[in-house]
């Protein structure tokens, strides 16, 4: 009805001094599109859906800890990292003492 919005996302992982690279051995799995039809379902909402899927996979695969990743979200189509509408970084806890 004309209210749909396409959010394009990509998940990256740190790669030392080279910056960031696509996450996982199957990076296309963590790159995609989410279409919403509610104005409240914005870029943060799309990133939250991706983060939820990541955490579920880590738990399913018994990952030892949260992994360091960032989720970038663009409206419509992927562009340069700096043009992302929303970016969130997930980091493992450093101090577990």
């Amino acid at each position: 009805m004309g209210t749909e919005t396409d959010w394009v996302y990509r998940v990256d992982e740190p790669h030392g001094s080279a910056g960031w690279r696509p996450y996982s051995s199957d990076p296309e799995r963590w790159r995609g599109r989410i279409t919403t039809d509610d104005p409240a379902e914005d870029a943060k909402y799309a990133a939250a859906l991706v983060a939820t899927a990541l955490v579920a996979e880590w738990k399913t695969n018994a990952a030892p800890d949260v992994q360091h990743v960032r989720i970038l979200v663009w409206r419509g189509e992927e562009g340069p990292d700096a043009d992302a509408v929303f970016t969130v970084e997930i980091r493992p806890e450093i101090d577990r003492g």
Side-chain angles (χ1 to χ4, degrees):
M1 297 268 255
T3 61
E4 288 185 346
T5 303
D6 285 332
W7 301 105
V8 178
Y9 67 88
R10 185 182 76 224
V11 180
D12 291 339
E13 62 187 349
H15 188 59
S17 61
W20 296 88
R21 68 177 176 198
Y23 173 70
S24 94
S25 60
D26 182 11
E28 288 306 310
R29 184 168 188 281
W30 295 104
R31 174 181 246 147
R33 178 178 308 274
I34 295 169
T35 302
T36 64
D37 60 4
D38 182 340
E41 295 174 342
D42 58 7
K44 291 179 187 179
Y45 172 83
L49 291 176
V50 175
T52 300
L54 279 166
V55 171
E57 180 168 289
W58 295 336
K59 287 183 178 182
T60 299
N61 294 331
D65 203 351
V66 170
Q67 298 174 36
H68 188 174
V69 297
R70 73 174 180 181
I71 302 166
L72 297 101
V73 180
W74 296 266
R75 184 183 198 126
E77 63 183 56
E78 186 175 326
D81 294 0
D83 290 346
V85 175
F86 185 74
T87 302
V88 63
E89 201 169 323
I90 301 172
R91 298 181 186 190
E93 291 183 43
I94 295 172
D95 181 22
R96 292 205 155 226

